[in-house]
Amino acid sequence: METSTSQISRRTVVKGAAWSVPVIAAAVAAPMAVASGDGNTVTNSDANYYWASESQSTWSSLDPAQGNLEVRYSTRIAFKQEPWTSGPPAGGALQVTVVFSQEVTLKAPIGQNWVQSSPAGLGPARTFVFQLSPSGFGGDISINLNGTTPGAITASSTMSLINGGTTTWASESSDATAVLVS
């Protein structure tokens, strides 16, 4: 009886290794992408949670008072699902982060079912984080603030969704500008 021995060439081993590198990279990257949540951010027009227009056709607004460095910040987030399947995520929490160009102080706690998660107290601070839990169909944020310096002030807002499963949210920021008067 004759025994055959086959040898694998070095070229075959190198080819096999070259093909396995992209497969291994994809297998490692896929769970990381899902865990990061980046797959859930989409354009405002395609998102489940989106910036809904204020009356001035902007997503957020800063309306200055006639003096005392006062300004009102407001925005609205709404929910849509097409086709309608299950509605808003039961365990989700909306989070809105607002970054101002100067330190501001809230004149009163936020209310309206939103909770201020950062900073502790009313400020002064440049960054405020608000959460709505459960996220439901979204909601309005409207707060009165005092700035620190007369002149231009901007607010840049971003949203995210915590524990929202496959539900999407707008990736664009919502920016507003006003002029504070002393």
Side-chain angles (χ1 to χ4, degrees):
M1 177 184 253
E2 209 171 292
T3 309
S4 73
T5 59
S6 66
Q7 292 183 338
I8 299 174
S9 73
R10 203 176 325 173
R11 175 177 272 171
T12 303
V13 171
V14 170
K15 273 194 211 175
W19 278 104
S20 67
V21 170
V23 173
I24 292 169
V28 170
M32 289 171 47
V34 170
S36 72
D38 292 341
N40 290 19
T41 59
V42 296
T43 62
N44 197 60
S45 60
D46 294 330
N48 295 128
Y49 282 103
Y50 63 98
W51 300 107
S53 292
E54 290 284 307
S55 59
Q56 301 91 357
S57 299
T58 61
W59 295 337
S60 296
S61 65
L62 280 175
D63 297 317
Q66 296 300 313
N68 299 325
L69 301 175
E70 293 180 7
V71 65
R72 175 189 281 288
Y73 167 86
S74 61
T75 195
R76 173 175 293 141
I77 297 173
F79 178 85
K80 68 179 178 207
Q81 193 174 55
E82 296 168 7
W84 189 264
T85 55
S86 59
L94 271 174
Q95 181 167 290
V96 174
T97 302
V98 186
V99 179
F100 294 93
S101 60
Q102 62 174 271
E103 286 194 333
V104 294
T105 302
L106 293 176
K107 293 184 75 171
I110 184 165
Q112 304 138 8
N113 297 321
W114 290 85
V115 174
Q116 177 187 333
S117 61
S118 174
L122 301 177
R126 286 182 184 253
T127 303
F128 288 83
V129 179
F130 305 104
Q131 290 186 343
L132 177 64
S133 181
S135 54
F137 288 93
D140 297 344
I141 297 176
S142 183
I143 50 176
N144 293 318
L145 306 148
N146 280 101
T148 53
T149 309
I153 183 172
T154 59
S156 181
S157 308
T158 56
M159 78 167 82
S160 59
L161 184 64
I162 300 165
N163 297 325
T166 58
T167 304
T168 59
W169 62 89
S171 60
E172 298 100 337
S173 65
S174 177
D175 303 320
T177 304
V179 176
L180 296 180
V181 180
S182 55

